[in-house]
Amino acid sequence: MSNQGDQQSGAKPAHLSVGDFHLDRHDERLIGPHGPVRIGHKAFMVLLTLADEGGRLMTKDALFDTVWKDISVSESALTTVIRELRRAMGDDSKQPKYIESVYGRGYRLIAPIEAVAPVGEAPSATPTSAPKQSGGTGSPPRILVADFDVSALEQGASNFVIAIREEILLGLSRFREIEVIDGDGDVRGDGSRDYRLDARFLPQGKGFRLMTRLQRLGDGAIVWGETHQLDSDQLGSGIEAIMRKIVGAAFPALDQDISIGAAAAGDTLFDRYMVAKRRSLNAQDRIEAQEAARELEAIVAAKPDFALAYPPLVRLYNIDYGYTAFGSSGAVERGRALELAKAGLAADRSHVHAYTVLGFCHLYHEEFDQARSCFLQALERNPYNPVRLNEVATGMTYLGDFKQARELFEQAYGIQPQTDDANHEDLGRLAWLEGDLETAHAHFVQITDASIWSQLCVAVTTTHRSPKKGEKAMQRWKDRVHKNWHRPIPPDDKEVFEWVKFHNPFEDDAGDPIFELVADALKL
């Protein structure tokens, strides 16, 4: 039935415009100026309910009665959905264009609302075919590795340049999250998720200067660039070093750029995965995290061989829904995580992340030999990804192999030489296990955005240095645990200690230096 027919029969319009956005009631789609926008079911229903009110105020109670009906949820469920809608529509709560919040009462839409024809159809037209379905599986981002510019070099340097380019192609091909195109020219019509890696060689003293950049094909934006210096007497070892740095830096830059644009993604499985993955990493509360988990579950149910969707889903189940609800991971969640991790690896045995994810699942189940095997296979399959290297290093830390852990952390730093909060936490924990509490504390206090674990580490190492200051820091940490606990009744100190051990799966007595000081700080 057409939109026009809906209005004539007295039914609610099937299609509405809200400012620059189009709502398809029956297909449950939100379409923005740049295409479909992926939002959760509850977010769509709240937006549609507000649109049906034609800009009138809807109280919070009315929204709960309409969208959640007989389900009892807290007020944070609604605020989380409103935040999701603002993010998806590019709205600002302080200067809104779409959703106005009436403090203490509810919400209204302030953008123009109209009944419209389906997207791509004239207002008076009658549909002759079924609504457009999902765009299929979709494709991962692609990197076109162009021919390198050697115009400034002498002809004899061509073999050296060919070797570097081949190594870069091989290195990038190990990342299952991307497709690598060898050659010049366009790889997709609009270049919406395509990139081009360029390199230019210039003479520099007795060697070369290599200028590389990663460019987004859609709009020409440069998302990453670096310059590398190589002396003529270092050509043998230098090729490997340059390749590691280029490959290890280009992929994280691309991944971050894709993630930033995920909210404007289309409706393919890959687009849905990108949105759900980002939500799983950025979830502010358990409701958001569980929405991401449900979407990822739906993706793997629809296409079990879509290997990329498994790791972020396993992570949510293993670690308290991304540490949004402390203590919520138990035997059931960890069992489901292990099942999914095995299925993810079976779907693509070349996907390195699948090995590290399964490795951590084995750690959590105290299957240490299997964990070690997974981490070593991940290392063998892609030694150029600094994120995976850090994961393997962390795994080796839990297995008590501190020497190899430190070597891998250093290897990852050599590829991507920057120390962020995660690096300080990893290196601080390793120094602590090695018996160097002063170095550990020095790392921990440099962390700017403290995770629940780095805050614990700061509190415990501070207690070791100054019991009075440490006691206050420990209380602040416990307050945070209690506030974010998965049930209203907070845990006692013994339960907190067991929770700490549950999320730090050391083999044998490798974790004793940490657990002993944590127990002392909790006065157990």
Side-chain angles (χ1 to χ4, degrees):
M1 182 180 291
S2 70
N3 184 53
Q4 186 179 10
D6 282 341
Q7 295 178 68
Q8 289 171 350
S9 64
K12 293 180 179 179
H15 298 266
L16 291 167
S17 70
V18 179
D20 294 331
F21 289 83
H22 181 108
L23 278 73
D24 183 337
R25 182 187 305 273
H26 299 316
D27 206 23
E28 199 168 300
R29 299 175 77 208
L30 175 65
I31 302 169
H34 304 292
V37 178
R38 190 71 188 174
I39 57 175
H41 170 69
K42 288 291 189 288
F44 182 87
M45 293 306 299
V46 166
L47 181 59
L48 184 62
T49 302
L50 291 172
D52 283 340
E53 284 297 301
R56 291 181 294 274
L57 174 69
M58 278 205 79
T59 66
K60 295 178 182 179
D61 288 341
L63 283 167
F64 280 122
D65 290 342
T66 304
V67 178
W68 280 267
K69 296 182 180 177
D70 297 327
I71 301 174
S72 178
V73 294
S74 67
E75 189 171 312
S76 65
L78 178 57
T79 56
T80 296
V81 165
I82 295 295
R83 187 164 61 243
E84 178 184 353
L85 286 171
R86 291 193 193 281
R87 195 161 52 229
M89 302 174 78
D91 205 19
D92 185 345
S93 61
K94 296 180 179 178
Q95 295 181 319
K97 297 186 297 181
Y98 290 97
I99 303 171
E100 181 181 70
S101 172
V102 180
Y103 184 77
R105 295 187 63 198
Y107 302 92
R108 67 164 62 94
L109 288 179
I110 56 176
I113 304 167
E114 296 182 57
V116 294
V119 172
E121 181 180 306
S124 60
T126 299
T128 58
S129 61
K132 182 180 178 182
Q133 300 299 314
S134 171
T137 302
S139 301
R142 304 181 186 185
I143 293 185
L144 182 152
V145 181
D147 292 335
F148 290 175
D149 182 357
V150 295
S151 58
L153 299 183
E154 297 179 0
Q155 189 173 358
S158 59
N159 290 337
F160 163 71
V161 173
I162 290 172
I164 287 185
R165 188 172 180 277
E166 285 298 320
E167 289 292 338
I168 289 173
L169 282 166
L170 289 172
L172 287 172
S173 69
R174 295 181 184 233
F175 293 81
R176 301 297 288 177
E177 299 89 341
I178 57 176
E179 291 180 359
V180 182
I181 307 299
D182 178 6
D184 219 332
D186 294 331
V187 294
R188 185 178 294 153
D190 62 357
S192 60
R193 200 159 51 225
D194 294 332
Y195 296 79
R196 173 188 173 103
L197 180 67
D198 290 301
R200 184 183 183 194
F201 285 82
L202 297 171
Q204 181 80 29
K206 295 182 179 180
F208 309 94
R209 184 155 54 101
L210 173 59
M211 303 173 68
T212 54
R213 67 178 185 178
L214 186 67
Q215 185 177 25
R216 196 188 304 138
L217 286 181
D219 57 10
I222 297 174
V223 300
W224 166 83
E226 281 189 12
T227 300
H228 306 272
Q229 178 67 33
L230 186 63
D231 294 333
S232 58
D233 58 352
Q234 298 176 327
L235 296 187
S237 60
I239 292 177
E240 173 76 9
I242 283 182
M243 184 273 292
R244 283 179 179 271
K245 288 183 178 180
I246 292 175
V247 171
F251 172 75
L254 179 151
D255 189 58
Q256 182 181 24
D257 191 65
I258 288 288
S259 180
I260 291 172
D267 60 352
T268 67
L269 275 182
F270 190 87
D271 296 322
R272 290 169 56 191
Y273 151 72
M274 287 299 301
V275 173
K277 172 189 171 185
R278 188 177 186 190
R279 286 178 177 167
S280 74
L281 295 172
N282 298 335
Q284 297 299 305
D285 54 41
R286 185 175 183 173
I287 293 174
E288 280 191 281
Q290 287 180 324
E291 285 284 348
R294 280 191 285 271
E295 176 65 358
L296 291 166
E297 286 275 16
I299 291 171
V300 300
K303 191 170 178 58
D305 62 348
F306 192 84
L308 295 178
Y310 288 91
L313 180 56
V314 171
R315 172 185 174 273
L316 288 172
Y317 291 148
N318 269 336
I319 57 170
D320 295 343
Y321 288 96
Y323 294 122
T324 60
F326 300 157
S328 59
S329 288
V332 173
E333 289 79 11
R334 290 270 173 95
R336 177 61 175 156
L338 180 58
E339 175 187 348
L340 287 165
K342 290 179 178 179
L345 182 57
D348 186 353
R349 292 192 173 274
S350 297
H351 188 206
V352 176
H353 200 185
Y355 286 94
T356 59
V357 162
L358 183 56
F360 280 103
C361 285
H362 284 311
L363 282 179
Y364 290 132
H365 285 80
E366 298 184 355
E367 298 166 349
F368 299 112
D369 289 340
Q370 295 96 315
R372 186 183 301 275
S373 175
C374 286
F375 291 132
L376 291 177
Q377 289 185 69
L379 182 60
E380 179 181 351
R381 280 167 170 76
N382 192 351
Y384 312 122
N385 187 332
V387 176
R388 301 288 94 83
L389 284 174
N390 278 315
E391 289 173 352
V392 175
T394 301
M396 290 302 172
T397 301
Y398 284 125
L399 291 168
D401 192 342
F402 303 150
K403 180 180 178 181
Q404 184 168 18
R406 185 164 293 282
E407 290 174 354
L408 290 170
F409 282 132
E410 291 174 356
Q411 187 175 331
Y413 182 82
I415 294 173
Q416 197 172 23
Q418 59 183 28
T419 304
D420 56 15
D421 287 349
N423 295 131
H424 280 303
E425 186 173 328
D426 289 333
L427 294 171
R429 181 179 57 243
L430 182 56
W432 185 350
L433 292 164
E434 292 171 332
D436 189 350
L437 274 177
E438 289 301 314
T439 298
H441 184 76
H443 278 293
F444 295 143
V445 296
Q446 292 185 66
I447 294 173
T448 55
D449 186 12
S451 71
I452 190 64
W453 301 117
S454 62
Q455 186 179 359
L456 171 63
C457 292
V458 169
V460 173
T461 54
T462 299
T463 301
H464 181 75
R465 295 159 57 92
S466 172
K468 189 173 181 179
K469 290 182 180 179
E471 186 174 352
K472 292 181 180 178
M474 198 68 189
Q475 187 58 53
R476 287 193 295 270
W477 178 79
K478 287 167 59 177
D479 290 343
R480 181 176 176 182
V481 172
H482 292 173
K483 179 182 178 182
N484 293 280
W485 199 246
H486 70 288
R487 62 169 189 261
I489 301 174
D492 59 26
D493 288 351
K494 184 176 181 181
E495 188 175 2
V496 169
F497 181 66
E498 291 303 318
W499 174 71
V500 170
K501 294 181 70 175
F502 186 71
H503 283 284
N504 289 276
F506 288 99
E507 183 176 11
D508 298 330
D509 58 354
D512 285 357
I514 289 178
F515 295 144
E516 289 172 0
L517 287 184
V518 171
D520 288 344
L522 288 169
K523 296 182 170 59
L524 296 178

